[in-house]
Amino acid sequence: MLRSVLAEVYDQTFWLPKGASTVAPSTDWLFNFVLWICIFFFLLIAVLTVYFCVKYRHREGVKQESTAGHSTALELTWTIIPTVIVLVIFYYGFRQFMNLSVDPPNSYEITATGMMWNWQFTYPNGYTSPELHVPAGVPVRVILDSKDVIHSLFVPAFRVKKDVVPGRYNRLWFQAEKVPVTDPKDIADPDKFDVYDLYCAAYCGTNHSTMKSIACVHTPESFKAWLTIASNPYLGHTLIEVGELFYKTRSCATCHSNEKDKIITGPSWRDMFGSQIPLADGTTVLADEAYVRESIYVPGAKIHRNFPNVMPSQLGMISDTDVNAIIAYMKSISVNFKGDLSQFQVKGTAPEKGAPTTMPLTPSISPPATSPATKALDKKSD
């Protein structure tokens, strides 16, 4: 009873958080089924061992009996019963394995990229986020890819985990439970969602413990609204604000501090722009726009002295427009930049209808209309 009370208080079961996906109940049932079988036989063997030790202990004056001979009935008993139990476990285990392996054809597809030491989730319209956002009540297929070493995507509340292996694609799927909405006006609110922990479950290097994120479950309407807003961060923000946002959400902060005397894995960005950077080959280079862009796309071209060459290339993952925003932010936190920062403090506005745009993403909120994923999402919204 105490365990149940504590589980309700902390919103979790004895072993894991409360299940928040359609596959969680069957996974928990199978886990408990195997667990209680193990507990039963452990107690049975432990009790019999103690009983036999007491009953057949050596005692003075008691005549030694001959050792028991072969018993066919006993041999069949301890062979047939465990075989039947193993076959039952295999049957239900294989069913669950197939259920977790075969994703529905109408799944909404998201690509998860693991790299030391962060996650990036790419949606069908090309938008990339460091957190996983999904619509409730819609099956979601996650395509897994790694940029460096083996990682493992694990969402305890969804009861799903899969290795993320470099050089190949894995995938997993789940369907998050519906978000309880008490106020009808919150249905399409992009800021109303449930949050669950997301981890890397395979040791992947020094900062493995920091490679965590969150999985956010929206209503279908809220998910569409969130993706519309998130896909174009330039609207309503200055270039410096967007650059700072990218610094926090594109995993730059994982290795680079924006404080002068704080060093993580890479050099601090504070006062970097406009300074002379000492290189590993003994030369120096001016930290200007060209250097920053090259360091993002080809990080091994010029190695900063006293720092390891561990930064993964962002080529194809960050557009030139986004790099310009990052550069603007670096200028804003550097005393070595002598230019006019006010030019970067103009808030972005939506382009006129039909006008060309240099923004990296369009405010698309879903895959093409003919996509099964879109039909499923629209159906849930209705």
Side-chain angles (χ1 to χ4, degrees), residues 99-146:
N99 181 35
L100 293 172
S101 300
V102 181
D103 48 275
N106 63 331
S107 299
Y108 187 83
E109 190 167 289
I110 299 172
T111 299
T113 303
M115 63 186 72
M116 296 186 291
W117 287 276
N118 58 82
W119 296 101
Q120 288 188 349
F121 300 95
T122 305
Y123 299 84
N125 68 345
Y127 173 66
T128 298
S129 168
E131 299 101 17
L132 176 62
H133 291 256
V134 298
V138 175
V140 176
R141 178 192 302 115
V142 183
I143 306 299
L144 306 171
D145 181 31
S146 172

Side-chain angles (χ1 to χ4, degrees), residues 77-369:
T77 299
W78 66 36
T79 300
I80 293 176
I81 292 178
T83 300
V84 171
I85 293 175
V86 169
L87 289 175
V88 171
I89 293 175
F90 172 80
Y91 171 74
Y92 286 107
F94 186 72
R95 280 185 54 181
Q96 184 66 2
F97 171 78
M98 294 302 297
N99 181 35
L100 293 172
S101 300
V102 181
D103 48 275
N106 63 331
S107 299
Y108 187 83
E109 190 167 289
I110 299 172
T111 299
T113 303
M115 63 186 72
M116 296 186 291
W117 287 276
N118 58 82
W119 296 101
Q120 288 188 349
F121 300 95
T122 305
Y123 299 84
N125 68 345
Y127 173 66
T128 298
S129 168
E131 299 101 17
L132 176 62
H133 291 256
V134 298
V138 175
V140 176
R141 178 192 302 115
V142 183
I143 306 299
L144 306 171
D145 181 31
S146 172
K147 291 297 181 182
D148 36 51
V149 299
I150 296 178
H151 302 282
S152 186
L153 183 67
F154 179 37
V155 185
F158 296 165
R159 306 296 193 266
V160 291
K161 184 187 81 70
K162 203 64 166 289
D163 285 351
V164 185
V165 183
R168 62 173 291 183
Y169 289 105
N170 276 351
R171 66 182 184 182
L172 60 80
W173 82 274
F174 58 84
Q175 180 173 316
E177 295 288 0
K178 293 185 177 181
V179 180
V181 178
T182 56
D183 192 338
K185 69 180 181 181
D186 292 338
I187 291 178
D189 188 342
D191 295 325
K192 299 289 184 180
F193 49 80
D194 294 336
V195 178
Y196 304 97
D197 292 324
L198 185 152
Y199 302 100
C200 173
Y203 180 71
C204 55
T206 306
N207 292 335
H208 162 70
S209 61
T210 66
M211 189 172 172
K212 54 187 178 181
S213 184
I214 55 174
C216 306
V217 180
H218 301 252
T219 64
E221 299 85 353
S222 168
F223 176 74
K224 286 185 176 182
W226 168 83
L227 193 55
T228 301
I229 297 171
S231 293
N232 203 336
Y234 293 87
L235 301 183
H237 297 90
T238 68
L239 203 60
I240 293 175
E241 291 173 339
V242 175
E244 184 177 10
L245 175 66
F246 290 158
Y247 166 75
K248 296 176 180 178
T249 61
R250 296 287 181 91
S251 306
C252 305
T254 303
C255 298
H256 300 280
S257 169
N258 58 2
E259 300 176 22
K260 186 173 181 59
D261 298 323
K262 183 178 180 181
I263 302 299
I264 309 176
T265 303
S268 172
W269 281 12
R270 176 69 62 173
D271 299 335
M272 174 188 284
F273 192 90
S275 67
Q276 291 291 329
I277 303 296
L279 302 181
D281 61 4
T283 62
T284 60
V285 63
L286 177 65
D288 57 6
E289 292 84 354
Y291 169 78
V292 174
R293 186 179 187 278
E294 182 182 48
S295 297
I296 292 174
Y297 289 151
V298 192
K302 294 181 176 66
I303 307 301
H304 197 299
R305 187 186 304 166
N306 300 326
F307 290 98
N309 181 21
V310 296
M311 178 174 169
S313 172
Q314 302 298 305
L315 187 63
M317 303 183 69
I318 298 181
S319 69
D320 286 341
T321 306
D322 294 350
V323 171
N324 291 337
I326 292 174
I327 292 173
Y329 172 63
M330 294 181 71
K331 290 177 178 178
S332 71
I333 60 174
S334 176
V335 297
N336 299 306
F337 178 68
K338 306 303 181 182
D340 182 12
L341 288 175
S342 64
Q343 60 186 314
F344 305 122
Q345 294 175 343
V346 179
K347 293 189 176 183
T349 57
E352 296 181 4
K353 187 175 181 180
T357 175
T358 58
M359 293 181 181
L361 299 168
T362 57
S364 169
I365 63 173
S366 60

